[in-house]
Amino acid sequence: MANRAAVFVHRLSGHSLSVRRLSIYGSRLTLHARRLHASSAGRSFLSTLLQTAKTKNPITAQWNGQPTHETHPELVAQGETTPGILQSEYDQRRRNIVDSLPDGGTAFLFSAPMHFVSPHVFHEFRQDSDFYYMTGWNEPESVAVLQKSATARRGYTLTMFVRAKEPEKELWEGPRSGLETAVAAFGADEAWPIRDFAKRAAKLIGGAHPVYADLDGEHGLVRSEQCGELRQILQRSNAGARVRRLTPIVQRARLIKSTAELQLMREAGRVSGAAFAAAMRACGPGVSESTLQSTFAHASKMALLAPITDRSTLTTDHSAPITDRSALTRPAYVPVFAGGEHALCMHYVLNNAPLRAGDLVLADAGAEVAAYAADVTRTFPVS
């Protein structure tokens, strides 16, 4: 092995996964994950070195923090990174962004933070849309760093900081994908534990090149802890004048939808339409607005269950295998189911009053399918 070879090695130390340094052939090697495009023998050799918590623990070894083709083939097809989106499309998205940056420019993207009901009870996680668009990574406590480089194979390098595999925490908090998956399945050139972000960010912003990041919350958006860490690093290094906003660049790119994105958007529309029809059927005097909301959510899930099995008929083949893709959908936003005068409130989301005969119901709701949302408003009679 060449002295400068980069090898990804981890060690299970106590209850945490740590990155360590080894001395091989008299040289100190920086241990990190790097994309491998070498021979099969080289890949086989490196795979033997990946003796991490992921490979050692028989329970968490098969776990990822989100569906992949290996774990959920009914949701993620061969070649896709996330449902409906190929790895090549994520690569092209990143190329489009770095094309807008000057040579040497560095862009920081931050995942959404977890939100808590109480100290130990959390809300369902929803990834930051820009971060998901650029990476497909669906875990909190994550940072993606894009650096434009004329010498890089793809014209850029992608460094990801993510939560490392920690079996004991995963048995308590749920699965994590880990550093290896960030490299193998999500296109990262390097992956480091998220706890290393603060000490490595300073090196990533070195020089006089512009830094692209969004460090302040807008419209009530709460930024991650790592966003605050980068802000402090920039202040200490007097590099604040080099910071440019990244959101406008990413959102301009998001305006143009690919064929795959359009398909997911159509599916979100189809699912939302089925859910609206179910809510209309459930409507009647005395029925609560809350029931319509629950019916909409349930029908959204059932719209992704195939084949549709109507147990009241004799024509359905009940022995046919069922493909359940309902995990792909969730409410796109807090819906409005407003009966009568409640429809006069622009953002009525209490949805807790009984419906009255002769009134109309204004429903503003939509399903999200694989992170692509529908937004539909309809008005229909209670009876």
Side-chain angles (χ1 to χ4, degrees), residues 146-220:
L146 278 173
Q147 292 182 293
K148 186 171 184 176
S149 171
T151 61
R153 178 180 55 85
R154 297 181 290 180
Y156 70 87
T157 59
L158 172 62
T159 303
M160 292 185 67
F161 296 84
V162 301
R163 299 182 302 178
K165 297 287 289 184
E166 296 188 46
E168 292 196 8
K169 285 192 175 181
E170 290 180 76
L171 291 174
W172 180 256
E173 300 174 353
R176 300 177 177 185
S177 294
L179 280 70
E180 299 98 327
T181 300
V183 173
F186 288 85
D189 294 289
E190 299 180 3
W192 297 91
I194 188 63
R195 63 175 175 270
D196 290 351
F197 173 73
K199 66 182 180 182
R200 297 197 177 276
K203 296 180 181 179
L204 293 170
I205 63 173
H209 302 295
V211 174
Y212 292 80
D214 296 286
L215 304 178
D216 297 315
E218 291 185 336
H219 310 295

Side-chain angles (χ1 to χ4, degrees), residues 4 24 71 128 152 174-175 177 197 200 234 237 239 264 268 292 364 376:
R4 293 182 179 274
I24 300 179
T71 61
D128 176 84
S177 294
F197 173 73
R200 297 197 177 276
L234 290 167
S237 61
L264 290 172
L292 299 190
D364 180 352
V376 183

Side-chain angles (χ1 to χ4, degrees), residues 44-212:
S44 176
F45 169 71
L46 289 177
S47 68
T48 64
L49 296 179
L50 299 181
Q51 298 300 313
T52 68
K54 180 176 181 180
T55 56
K56 288 182 177 180
N57 187 285
I59 298 177
T60 63
Q62 305 304 315
W63 289 1
N64 277 318
Q66 65 189 85
T68 64
H69 176 67
E70 289 71 26
T71 61
H72 295 74
E74 75 283 3
L75 302 181
V76 184
Q78 182 76 39
E80 293 178 348
T81 295
T82 58
I85 306 295
L86 296 170
Q87 174 60 53
S88 59
E89 182 160 334
Y90 281 106
D91 177 50
Q92 186 59 54
R93 292 174 182 181
R94 294 189 286 265
R95 289 174 189 262
N96 292 341
I97 295 302
V98 298
D99 283 346
S100 302
L101 307 183
D103 291 339
T106 302
F108 288 81
L109 295 113
F110 299 94
S111 67
M114 288 291 295
H115 296 282
F116 290 82
V117 180
S118 62
H120 301 290
V121 180
F122 46 83
H123 288 284
E124 182 181 7
F125 178 70
R126 172 53 162 85
Q127 186 59 281
D128 176 84
S129 295
D130 287 353
F131 186 89
Y132 189 82
Y133 177 81
M134 295 296 292
T135 66
W137 189 262
N138 198 32
E139 295 186 36
E141 298 183 78
S142 304
V143 181
V145 185
L146 278 173
Q147 292 182 293
K148 186 171 184 176
S149 171
T151 61
R153 178 180 55 85
R154 297 181 290 180
Y156 70 87
T157 59
L158 172 62
T159 303
M160 292 185 67
F161 296 84
V162 301
R163 299 182 302 178
K165 297 287 289 184
E166 296 188 46
E168 292 196 8
K169 285 192 175 181
E170 290 180 76
L171 291 174
W172 180 256
E173 300 174 353
R176 300 177 177 185
S177 294
L179 280 70
E180 299 98 327
T181 300
V183 173
F186 288 85
D189 294 289
E190 299 180 3
W192 297 91
I194 188 63
R195 63 175 175 270
D196 290 351
F197 173 73
K199 66 182 180 182
R200 297 197 177 276
K203 296 180 181 179
L204 293 170
I205 63 173
H209 302 295
V211 174
Y212 292 80

